[in-house]
Amino acid sequence: MAERLSCDVLVIGSGLAGISCALRAASLGASVRMVTDGFCCAGSSFSTSTWGLGMVCESDAVDPRGPESLFKVLCDVGMGMNDPKLAETLIARAPEALAFLATAGARIIDPQNPGQREFVACFDHTVRTWHGFVGTASRTGLRRALDAAGVTIIERAVPMSLLRDSRGFVAGALVLEADGPLSTLHKSLHMQEIAAQSTVMATGGVAGLYGHHLCSSRCRGLGHALALDAGASLVNMEFQQLMLGSVSPIPGIIFNEKLYRWTSFSTLDGLDAFQEHGIAEDTAREVLEAHSWHGPYTTRLASHLVDETLDAPISGSPYVAHYDERIFADDAPEFIQTYLKWLRDERAVDPRAPMTVGMYAHSSNGGIVIDEQAHTDVEGLFACGECAGGVHGADRIGGLASVTAATFGLVAGEAAAKRSGLRPIDYSDNLTPYGPLLCSLDCPDVSDVIGRALDSSCMVNRDERSLQHGYDSLTDLTERLRSTADPLTVPQLFTSTDGQLQALFDTHQALGQLQTARALLVACLSRSETRGPHHRSDYPCEDPTQNVPRRVSSTDLCA
C-alpha cells in the first residue's frame, strides 16, 4: 500500500470557497492540502459565462437590523427556507472576507457610479456596497497566495470516497490522481490516501447536472454524493436558480437582467413572443420592466410571466432578443456599457446581432447542511461555498453567491484549523471508506441522460408525473449500473492497472452524479407547492403548511 499522506486540513475544491478556506487555515498555522479535479481556480466564480460577478455587502448607511437591512431582505426573499443564524454570519463577516480576498490577490473592482439603479442587486430594492469580482484576472494572484502560504495543491485529482476513523469521524479521503486531464484516455493513474484531521467540501453546486446550464461543467454534485455517503444531509435542493441565457451565436452566456427593460423578444419569423402567447403589449412591457430588477426566475413576482413565456416557444424554436438602440449611447448606464464591452472584447459577440435565448440552470440555493462554523452533520466534515446549503432560501439576493463562498470559506478555514488542534488523528489508525468502491468495466456516460431528465422535469415547469418519471428512470439506471459493477477493496486500489482505475473513475463519476440528481428530484417531489423558483404546475399556489426547509439524506433514496 502506498505511503499515507497527511495534513491538518484537506480542502476538496479550488473555487473561491476552497481558496478562501485554504488560505485562512494556512494563515492560522494549519498544514493544508487542496485537491482539485482540474487546475486551481476552477470554480463557477471563475467561469467565462459572464463578464464578472457582483459582490454585495451591507451599506454602512443601513441599520443592520432594520427593515432595509440586507439580513431582512435575504430572509424575506428566502421565504422562510434559510437559516437566520447563517444569514447573520454572512452579513457580519462578508466585509472581512472580501478584504481578505483582495489582500490575497483577487481582482475586486468598484463602480464609478455606484448609485445607479443597475447596481441594485437582484431581488433587492436599495443600493448597497457593491463590488465586482473578476475571476480571470484573479487567478494569478490567488495562486501565488496559495503557494506563498504553503498550501499543497494536488491537481487533476478526484476523491473516490471520504475516509472515516475508528471513532466514525471523517478523516480524509481516497484520491485518484492523474498525470493528464481526467476526461481523456491514455493517462497514468494512481491512488493516494490522504489522512486529515478536518476535511472541507468546497465542490460547487449541482446546476452542471442539467443539460442546459450556465455554470462550470464541474458543478455536478459529486461532493454532495460523497457527503451523503458519509451521513450528511442536503437542504433546499429544489431551489435551483434558473436564468435566461444565449443559445446562439455562442451558447451559455448569461443574459444580463438589466437589459430586460431595453429588450423585445420575437420568433424567428418576427412575431412578438408575448403576442404569440396572447399576452397584451402593455402587460409585456410591465413584466419586462419588473424583470430588469433581477435575473433569476421566481414565482414570487409578476416577472415570472417572462420566463414562463420564453421557456415555452409555441413555434418550437428559441426566441430572439432585440435590444433598444439607446443601450449603445454614450450615456447608457455604466453596468450595461461594461457588459456590452465584455461581449465584444472577450466573447467576440456583436451585441447588435440577433441572439437566440433560452432558459438554463445557473446555480444552487441549497446544498449540504451546515451550521455557523460550516460544520456538517458529520464530525470532521465541513462544507462551504455553493455546495453548502442553508444560507439562502427559496430565492437568493444577487451578488451574494460569491460573497457567501468567500465568507464561509473563511469561516470553514478557521473552524477546520481550530478543530485540527483539538481532535488530532492517530495516523496509524486504519481508515476505511464510506460505502463500497465499485468498478464497472462497461460504465455508461450518464451525463446526457441526467441532463435530459432534469431539463424536462426540473426547469421552469414541474409536476408530479415528470418528476416521478425522471426519478424512476435515473433510479433504474443506478440499479443497473450497481448490479454490473464489482467491488474493490482498498488494498486492491493500490495494485490496480490504469484500465481498472479508469473504470473506477468512470463508475464513481456516474454513480455520484446519479445520486445527487436523484436527491434533487426527491426534493422537488416532496415539495408539493409553488415557492420561489420551484414552480409546481400541479400545485400552483404557496402552501403555508410547507413553510419549512426540506432535507434529503441517503435513506431517502430507495436504490
Side-chain angles (χ1 to χ4, degrees):
M1 186 169 177
E3 180 183 359
R4 176 184 292 170
L5 299 178
S6 64
C7 58
D8 295 328
V9 179
L10 173 62
V11 180
I12 302 175
S14 68
L16 201 55
I19 291 170
S20 299
C21 175
L23 288 173
R24 188 56 168 168
S27 73
L28 296 174
S31 61
V32 182
R33 293 183 186 272
M34 174 184 284
V35 170
T36 178
D37 61 356
F39 293 106
C40 190
C41 304
S44 288
S45 294
F46 299 92
S47 172
T48 59
S49 63
T50 188
W51 70 270
L53 296 168
M55 304 180 90
V56 173
C57 295
E58 186 66 278
S59 170
D60 293 338
V62 177
D63 179 357
R65 301 296 297 183
E68 296 293 313
S69 72
L70 187 54
F71 171 82
K72 174 69 164 52
V73 177
L74 189 157
C75 293
D76 285 348
V77 303
M79 303 182 72
M81 298 296 106
N82 66 299
D83 184 336
K85 292 182 179 179
L86 297 182
E88 288 179 342
T89 301
L90 172 66
I91 304 304
R93 301 209 59 187
E96 174 191 358
L98 298 192
F100 180 80
L101 267 182
T103 301
R107 175 68 191 279
I108 297 177
I109 61 176
D110 296 327
Q112 296 179 1
N113 302 288
Q116 292 180 343
R117 61 164 278 177
E118 282 73 20
F119 289 102
V120 176
C122 293
F123 298 132
D124 206 350
H125 53 266
T126 188
V127 174
R128 305 188 191 274
T129 302
W130 190 98
H131 307 281
F133 175 77
V134 186
T136 53
S138 297
R139 286 191 173 100
T140 301
L142 292 175
R143 179 58 192 260
R144 286 174 179 167
L146 289 166
D147 291 340
V151 175
T152 300
I153 303 173
I154 307 174
E155 297 180 325
R156 293 170 172 166
V158 173
M160 296 291 102
S161 174
L162 296 176
L163 294 169
R164 61 180 159 197
D165 62 16
S166 58
R167 300 169 292 182
F169 299 167
V170 172
L174 273 174
V175 174
L176 180 65
E177 298 179 55
D179 64 355
L182 286 160
S183 59
T184 63
L185 299 175
H186 309 297
K187 55 184 173 291
S188 176
L189 299 167
H190 65 279
M191 293 298 302
Q192 186 63 66
E193 185 182 66
I194 304 177
Q197 297 178 41
S198 299
T199 303
V200 184
M201 307 302 297
T203 50
V206 305
L209 287 170
Y210 285 76
H212 292 89
H213 62 265
L214 293 169
C215 64
S216 167
S217 294
R218 291 186 170 90
C219 293
R220 292 183 174 172
L222 295 172
H224 298 67
L226 290 174
L228 283 170
D229 287 342
S233 300
L234 311 181
V235 68
N236 290 337
M237 291 295 289
E238 65 271 35
F239 301 125
Q240 298 295 313
Q241 279 201 345
L242 309 173
M243 292 182 67
L244 197 68
S246 64
V247 175
S248 67
I250 297 177
I253 296 175
I254 293 175
F255 182 85
N256 191 307
E257 71 274 7
K258 308 305 180 183
L259 292 171
Y260 274 112
R261 64 197 294 253
W262 309 96
T263 307
S264 61
F265 298 91
S266 73
T267 65
L268 295 175
D269 296 331
L271 177 64
D272 182 84
F274 294 95
Q275 289 181 12
E276 187 182 41
H277 286 263
I279 299 169
E281 182 179 355
D282 288 349
T283 300
R285 294 319 310 172
E286 288 175 5
V287 295
L288 285 168
E289 171 66 29
H291 214 319
S292 70
W293 291 95
H294 66 91
Y297 166 65
T298 182
T299 59
R300 289 186 302 113
L301 306 172
S303 58
H304 71 88
L305 195 59
V306 175
D307 305 278
E308 291 163 12
T309 296
L310 299 179
D311 189 48
I314 295 174
S315 61
S317 299
Y319 288 121
V320 182
H322 306 275
Y323 299 138
D324 189 303
E325 280 295 318
R326 286 177 290 178
I327 70 169
F328 302 108
D330 292 339
D331 61 350
E334 178 188 349
F335 198 102
I336 290 177
Q337 289 189 48
T338 301
Y339 174 72
L340 296 179
K341 184 177 185 300
W342 173 82
L343 276 180
R344 288 189 298 265
D345 297 349
E346 300 296 328
R347 303 311 302 270
V349 173
D350 180 2
R352 285 187 165 88
M355 175 185 285
T356 57
V357 294
M359 294 300 294
Y360 289 81
H362 175 238
S363 64
S364 308
N365 289 349
I368 305 167
V369 175
I370 61 169
D371 63 16
E372 303 96 292
Q373 284 73 49
H375 204 278
T376 70
D377 300 332
V378 186
E379 183 65 45
L381 182 64
F382 299 80
C384 57
E386 198 180 337
C387 75
V391 180
H392 310 291
D395 286 323
R396 171 177 58 76
I397 296 292
L400 286 189
S402 292
V403 171
T404 300
T407 301
F408 279 89
L410 201 75
V411 170
E414 292 172 354
K418 180 179 180 181
R419 181 188 180 280
S420 297
L422 297 175
R423 296 179 179 269
I425 281 181
D426 178 1
Y427 286 114
S428 65
D429 194 5
N430 181 35
L431 304 182
T432 58
Y434 289 92
L437 297 162
L438 299 177
C439 172
S440 172
L441 296 176
D442 188 24
C443 182
D445 183 354
V446 303
S447 299
D448 288 344
V449 177
I450 294 172
R452 289 193 298 271
L454 296 186
D455 284 356
S456 62
S457 63
C458 291
M459 200 62 84
V460 170
N461 291 297
R462 304 171 179 180
D463 59 49
E464 181 92 13
R465 180 177 174 275
S466 63
L467 290 168
Q468 190 65 54
H469 175 74
Y471 179 80
D472 290 343
S473 65
L474 297 186
T475 298
D476 289 344
L477 181 54
T478 300
E479 291 175 337
R480 291 199 304 271
L481 179 53
R482 286 179 177 169
S483 68
T484 61
D486 296 320
L488 293 175
T489 65
V490 173
Q492 286 176 320
L493 297 179
F494 293 93
T495 58
S496 297
T497 65
D498 282 350
Q500 291 171 319
L501 292 177
Q502 179 69 52
L504 174 70
F505 170 77
D506 293 340
T507 309
H508 161 78
Q509 295 276 300
L511 288 174
Q513 291 178 69
L514 285 165
Q515 185 176 19
T516 302
R518 291 168 58 235
L520 169 57
L521 287 161
V522 165
C524 292
L525 279 164
S526 68
R527 186 165 293 283
S528 53
E529 65 159 354
T530 287
R531 187 182 293 261
H534 177 64
H535 176 215
R536 287 287 299 263
S537 58
D538 48 350
Y539 296 97
C541 298
E542 183 182 333
D543 180 2
T545 66
Q546 299 189 45
N547 189 31
V548 290
R550 295 294 172 87
R551 290 193 178 195
V552 178
S553 68
S554 60
T555 58
D556 296 310
L557 307 178
C558 64

